[in-house]
């Protein structure tokens, strides 16, 4: 056990001693009576209240919870109670050891009582935090401020109150409990075709930009902070380099164009893998030599293994949920899916976050085909609530930690002014590096598009002419049905490539979009959590953690608060005119419904044919008003049940056409999502009648 600043108790005097911090490393602590060493991994402080022994006066306490082992007398301890009184400035006065072990002497606390008290102490702050998140989220639009920024400010203000103890959040809470579901939720709603179109540019931002930023920040910190080597500097650079997936939600609310929003969200979902691999390698390099090849091998393994596991989990997620008839059960599977992908991937040493993202992308890609309308609507409602609570909680916790970080810097006799100056320097540096990377990247992207656009269109036109030529030989000896299917696949491939070219030309990323991409790359709570995972032996650890906090908070408060103004001044807040696109998609869905009405296999679920008068009536009305067919028909012997059955058949035909159009990508993601939501709402209305 390692004591810092002062000692615990003054031997023999019975007077309390001053203690700044109890830090338990993985040392050996003997088991009473047996003489055998016991292993203790970590002591976790939480607040509560218990009386001082003998004095009868109430005192503030912190529970030191032993994790991954314990200090046993005859069996491992689970809880050790220490009565302490927090004091501002970081010093704490040790009052008394209340109890040794559950069921032992001292205060006589039973394990059940201790566990219940700890749970109750944790419940009140959680309830209060959720209420604060809801209140701030509802109030922020009236004030004209982004909700996340206001939550950070509220957290900082509350944390600085004298009655509020320092808040320390375990890095695992953010990195392992909060981030996987948030990334999964973002990936499910990510337009897969838009993500695929910009995957190369997103990969460059997620890997190359993180590496370049980490190296530049490392060199600067090594020059400015004595005792900080290149490896430690690169570790801090890896921490502050990746953009935060939660923070990018601010940009989405600012009215960014669909392509810019997709690039930012895709970058934020993937750059954690490269940053964490680089952080792990840099930390290892502080104690031993690390080769560049080893770092590259770690990164390749982290991404490939995560992609495979995430793909499997995503497919299983859709498969299992497609066989569930209760929407509640389907949503429950969806909630645990990110952790099913995350946990085994981390055990294999790969990136659990990339696995969660991949599972979300695979799930979202096939949800329109494999999941029911009720499942999708229920899932969307649940995940919107989860995102509200988790995103808001992350920003609130980030602000609450400011006071503790400041006190820790004071205890380590470091300068708060130095931390603030370094934080602002690093924040400006990562923005400059990002701008220097994105500017030539966008130029190369646009140059490559203009140079290859004509060639690709000519090649696609040639393929289409050959496909339409009856004399064109089909591969192998195909049956007529196989040749027709092969021709349809080729036509679909041609249409998809043409749609890609049209999208890249219409949604061009020019200089104005480049400015937004640079300014919208904000850091968030993940940066603070990653900084707190640095080993205790890191030189100037408390100073560097505070520097990371300044970078994250500064980017949120400065860039986040000004991003809507930047978007508006650049003229990028205009809503695109999708009327023509929407009309074309509606025509295709109407044609699909008409074709289904004309099909010979048009029958009810029980196999009986529909009334001829009903089919003719719908065929006459389907173009002007396709969805208004719920009231009983006049004549033809049609019943309300028969109308609903026929409407369900038409909805399924339209949804199948919608899935085909999504694969081709000829329509914008917003228009496709709008049409799918309308079909789901129509089907849900039928099911409720």
């Amino acid at each position: 056990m390692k004591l810092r600043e002062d000692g615990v108790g003054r031997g023999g005097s019975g007077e309390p001693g001053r203690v700044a911090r109890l830090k338990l490393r993985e040392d050996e602590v003997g088991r009473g009576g047996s003489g055998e060493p016991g292993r203790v991994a970590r002591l976790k402080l939480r607040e509560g209240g218990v009386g001082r022994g003998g004095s009868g006066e109430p005192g503030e306490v912190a529970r030191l919870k032993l994790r991954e082992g314990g200090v046993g007398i005859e069996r491992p301890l689970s809880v050790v109670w220490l009565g302490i009184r927090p004091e501002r400035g970081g010093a704490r006065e040790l009052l008394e050891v209340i109890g040794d072990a559950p069921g032992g002497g001292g205060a006589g606390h039973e394990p059940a009582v201790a566990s219940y008290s700890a749970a109750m102490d944790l419940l009140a702050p959680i309830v209060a935090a959720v209420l604060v998140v809801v209140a701030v989220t509802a109030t922020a639009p009236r004030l004209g401020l982004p909700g996340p920024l206001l939550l950070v400010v509220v957290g900082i203000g509350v944390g600085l109150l004298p009655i509020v103890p320092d808040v320390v959040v375990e890095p695992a809470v953010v990195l392992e409990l909060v981030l996987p579901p948030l990334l999964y939720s973002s990936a499910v709603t990510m337009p897969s075709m838009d993500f695929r179109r910009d995957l190369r540019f997103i990969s460059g931002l997620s890997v190359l930009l993180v590496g370049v930023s980490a190296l530049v920040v490392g060199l600067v910190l090594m020059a400015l902070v004595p005792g900080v080597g290149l490896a430690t500097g690169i570790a801090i650079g890896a921490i502050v380099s990746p953009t935060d997936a939660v923070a990018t939600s601010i940009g989405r609310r600012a009215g960014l164009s669909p392509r810019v929003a997709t690039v930012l969200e895709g970058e934020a979902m993937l750059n954690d893998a490269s940053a964490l691999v680089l952080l792990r390698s840099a930390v290892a390099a502080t104690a031993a030599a690390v080769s560049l090849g080893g770092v590259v091998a770690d990164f390749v393994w982290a991404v490939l293994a995560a992609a495979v596991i995430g793909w499997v989990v995503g497919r299983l997620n859709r498969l299992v949920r497609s066989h569930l008839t209760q929407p509640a059960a389907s949503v429950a599977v969806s909630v645990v899916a990110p952790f099913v992908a995350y946990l085994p991937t981390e055990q294999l040493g790969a990136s659990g976050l990339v696995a969660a993202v991949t599972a979300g992308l695979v799930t979202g890609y096939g949800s329109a085909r494999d999941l029911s309308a009720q499942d999708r609507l229920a899932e969307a409602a649940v995940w919107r609530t989860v995102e509200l609570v988790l995103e808001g909680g992350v920003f609130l916790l980030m602000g609450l930690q400011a006071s503790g970080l400041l006190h820790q810097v004071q205890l380590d006799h470091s300068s708060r002014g130095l931390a603030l100056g370094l934080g602002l320097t690093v924040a400006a540096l990562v923005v400059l590096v990002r701008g220097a990377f994105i500017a030539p990247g966008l130029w190369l992207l646009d140059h490559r598009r203009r140079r290859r656009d004509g060639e690709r269109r000519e090649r696609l036109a040639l393929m289409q002419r050959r496909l339409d030529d009856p004399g064109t030989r089909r591969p192998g000896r195909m049956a007529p049905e196989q040749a027709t299917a092969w021709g349809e696949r080729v036509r679909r491939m041609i249409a998809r490539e043409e749609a890609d070219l049209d999208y890249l030309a219409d949604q061009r990323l020019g200089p104005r979009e480049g400015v937004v991409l640079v300014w919208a790359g904000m850091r968030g709570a993940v940066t603070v959590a990653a900084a707190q995972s640095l080993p205790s032996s890191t030189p100037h650890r408390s100073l560097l953690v505070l520097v990371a906090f300044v970078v994250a908070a500064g980017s949120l408060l400065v860039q986040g608060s000004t991003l809507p103004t930047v978007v508006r001044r650049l003229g990028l807040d205009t809503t695109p005119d999708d009327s023509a696109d929407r009309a074309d998609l509606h025509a295709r869905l109407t044609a699909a419904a008409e074709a289904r009405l004309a099909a010979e296999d048009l029958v009810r679920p029980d196999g009986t044919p529909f009334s001829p008068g009903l089919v003719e009536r719908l065929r006459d009305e389907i173009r002007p008003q396709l969805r208004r067919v719920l009231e009983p028909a006049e004549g033809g012997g049609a019943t309300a049940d028969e109308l609903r059955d026929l409407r369900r058949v038409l909805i399924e035909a339209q949804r199948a056409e919608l899935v085909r159009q999504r694969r081709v990508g000829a329509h914008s993601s917003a228009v496709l999502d709008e049409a799918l939501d309308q079909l789901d709402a129509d089907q849900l209305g039928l099911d409720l009648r």
Side-chain angles (χ1 to χ4, degrees):
M1 187 173 290
K2 181 181 178 183
L3 301 180
R4 300 177 58 177
E5 297 292 336
D6 295 298
V8 183
R10 298 172 185 173
S13 67
E15 300 179 7
R18 308 284 293 181
V19 177
R21 186 181 181 187
L22 286 178
K23 185 176 183 184
L24 192 59
R25 296 183 300 181
E26 296 191 2
D27 299 327
E28 301 298 325
V29 181
R31 299 177 182 172
S34 67
E36 299 179 6
R39 193 169 180 81
V40 180
R42 185 180 299 170
L43 292 182
K44 182 179 180 182
L45 266 107
R46 287 193 288 185
E47 52 173 335
V50 76
R52 300 181 185 177
S55 68
E57 300 178 11
E60 295 292 326
V61 304
R63 294 183 187 86
L64 301 183
K65 296 191 68 177
L66 301 180
R67 300 175 59 186
E68 299 181 5
V71 186
I73 294 180
E74 292 182 355
R75 56 191 167 107
L77 288 175
S78 60
V79 179
V80 174
W81 299 77
L82 295 183
I84 63 173
R85 183 171 63 225
E87 296 181 2
R88 303 307 290 182
R92 303 173 187 265
E93 182 180 0
L94 183 68
L95 298 177
E96 179 186 9
V97 177
I98 304 299
D100 289 329
H109 292 283
E110 296 295 331
V113 176
S115 300
Y116 173 79
S117 178
M120 292 303 295
D121 289 342
L122 188 60
L123 180 61
I126 291 177
V127 172
V130 173
L131 294 177
V132 170
V133 168
V134 173
V136 171
T137 303
T139 306
R142 303 176 185 175
L143 300 177
L145 295 173
L149 305 187
L150 195 56
L151 283 168
V152 173
V153 174
V154 169
I156 293 175
V158 172
L160 293 176
L161 295 176
I163 62 173
V164 178
D166 295 339
V167 176
V168 179
V169 181
E170 287 284 336
V173 172
V174 175
L175 297 178
E176 298 176 11
L177 294 180
V178 175
L179 205 54
L182 286 179
L183 291 177
Y184 171 86
S185 177
S186 298
V188 168
T189 57
M190 169 73 71
S192 57
M193 62 180 183
D194 297 347
F195 180 79
R196 172 185 57 81
R197 288 161 172 167
D198 280 311
L199 182 58
R200 178 176 300 181
F201 186 50
I202 291 172
S203 301
L205 296 175
S206 304
V207 180
L208 296 180
L209 179 56
V210 168
V212 172
S213 300
L215 179 60
V216 173
V217 171
L219 292 172
V220 171
L221 288 179
M222 182 179 66
L224 296 179
V225 183
V228 172
L230 181 60
T232 302
I234 290 178
I236 299 299
I239 289 170
V240 301
S241 294
T243 56
D244 190 88
V246 180
T248 56
S249 62
I250 301 175
R252 187 169 61 248
R253 298 184 183 100
L256 298 178
S257 68
R259 188 178 182 187
V260 173
T262 299
V263 171
L264 287 172
E265 293 178 5
E267 176 196 5
M269 288 192 302
L270 297 181
N271 58 16
D272 291 308
S274 54
L276 293 179
V277 169
L278 186 56
L279 173 61
R280 183 169 63 242
S281 302
V283 170
T286 60
V290 176
S291 65
L292 179 60
V295 175
V296 174
D298 285 346
F299 175 75
V300 172
W301 167 253
V303 173
L304 291 182
V308 172
I309 295 175
W311 183 85
V312 172
V313 172
R315 293 297 300 267
L316 290 176
N317 184 21
R318 282 162 34 196
L319 178 64
V320 171
R321 295 172 62 191
S322 66
H323 289 82
L324 296 177
T325 57
Q326 297 180 347
S330 177
V331 173
V333 174
S334 173
V335 170
V336 301
F339 300 104
V340 173
Y342 179 90
L343 293 174
T345 308
E346 287 290 325
Q347 291 296 321
L348 294 176
S351 174
L353 299 180
V354 173
V357 169
T358 306
L361 290 172
V362 174
T363 301
Y365 177 76
S367 63
R369 182 182 65 252
D370 298 334
L371 304 182
S372 68
Q374 288 186 341
D375 289 345
R376 284 190 295 273
L377 293 174
E379 180 186 34
V382 169
W383 277 109
R384 279 196 297 268
T385 304
V386 171
E387 288 179 350
L388 172 68
V389 174
L390 292 184
E391 287 184 3
V394 162
F395 288 112
L396 183 63
L397 281 176
M398 180 179 168
L400 288 171
Q401 295 179 81
S403 176
L405 297 177
L406 291 172
H407 292 158
Q408 189 57 53
V409 169
Q410 183 183 19
L411 291 176
D412 290 345
H413 305 290
S414 298
S415 170
R416 299 178 182 179
L418 176 61
L420 179 61
L422 287 174
L424 295 177
T425 301
V426 172
L429 190 62
V430 293
V431 172
L432 292 175
V433 172
R434 183 176 178 85
F437 185 91
I438 287 180
L442 291 182
W443 182 85
L444 289 174
L445 194 68
D446 188 61
H447 177 72
R448 179 175 176 272
R449 179 195 63 80
R450 287 186 282 105
R451 180 172 56 85
R452 300 186 59 183
D453 185 271
E455 298 176 359
R456 293 178 65 183
R457 290 186 184 276
E458 291 180 3
R459 179 173 58 85
L460 293 175
L462 178 60
M463 292 177 61
Q464 185 66 52
R465 288 195 298 270
R466 290 180 177 178
L467 190 63
D468 295 337
D469 185 0
T472 302
R473 297 180 56 186
R474 302 303 191 255
R477 296 181 178 179
M478 286 187 176
E481 297 81 5
Q482 294 176 326
T484 301
W486 174 81
E488 288 299 322
R489 287 196 299 271
V490 175
R491 287 188 175 89
R492 195 160 49 242
M493 183 268 295
I494 295 173
R496 184 175 60 186
E497 289 204 29
E498 289 178 341
D500 290 348
L501 294 175
D502 294 338
Y503 171 83
L504 296 176
D506 296 338
Q507 300 282 335
R508 178 175 168 270
L509 294 178
R512 295 185 302 166
E513 288 80 7
V515 172
V516 173
L517 285 173
V518 172
W519 199 242
M522 290 165 282
R523 279 68 184 169
V526 176
T527 293
V528 180
Q532 290 175 332
S533 68
L534 288 172
S536 58
S537 59
T538 303
H540 307 288
R541 181 183 183 277
S542 60
L543 176 70
L544 296 177
V545 172
L546 185 56
V547 168
F549 176 86
V550 172
V551 173
S555 67
L556 283 173
L557 296 177
V558 177
Q559 295 172 236
S561 61
T562 58
L563 181 60
T565 303
V566 172
V567 174
R568 187 171 57 254
R569 291 289 181 86
L570 293 174
L572 298 177
D573 59 340
T574 57
T575 303
D577 184 9
D578 293 330
S579 56
D581 196 10
R582 188 177 293 106
D584 181 70
L585 180 61
H586 183 267
R588 292 179 183 274
L589 297 183
T590 300
E594 289 180 319
R596 189 71 184 94
L597 285 175
E600 296 180 356
D601 59 347
L602 181 66
V603 293
R604 301 183 66 179
D606 58 3
T608 60
F610 287 100
S611 301
L614 175 62
V615 175
E616 290 299 326
R617 172 176 176 264
L618 287 183
R619 184 177 289 114
D620 294 337
E621 296 181 357
I622 198 169
R623 283 190 179 278
Q625 207 168 9
L626 180 63
R627 293 188 294 269
R628 305 296 188 260
V629 293
L630 296 180
E631 54 275 352
E634 298 179 1
T639 65
D641 290 339
E642 188 177 9
L643 280 168
R644 283 192 288 269
D645 290 341
L646 183 54
R647 179 67 188 117
R648 290 189 181 96
V649 172
L650 297 183
I651 288 176
E652 289 301 323
Q654 290 178 302
R655 184 176 290 116
E657 177 63 23
L658 190 66
V659 170
R660 284 192 290 270
Q661 294 300 320
R662 187 184 295 273
R663 289 179 177 176
V664 172
H667 303 277
S668 70
S669 299
V671 171
L672 291 170
D673 291 340
E674 179 185 329
L676 180 61
D677 291 342
Q678 181 62 60
L679 291 177
D680 288 345
D682 289 349
Q683 182 164 354
L684 185 60
L686 289 173
D687 294 339
L688 292 177
R689 287 175 180 265

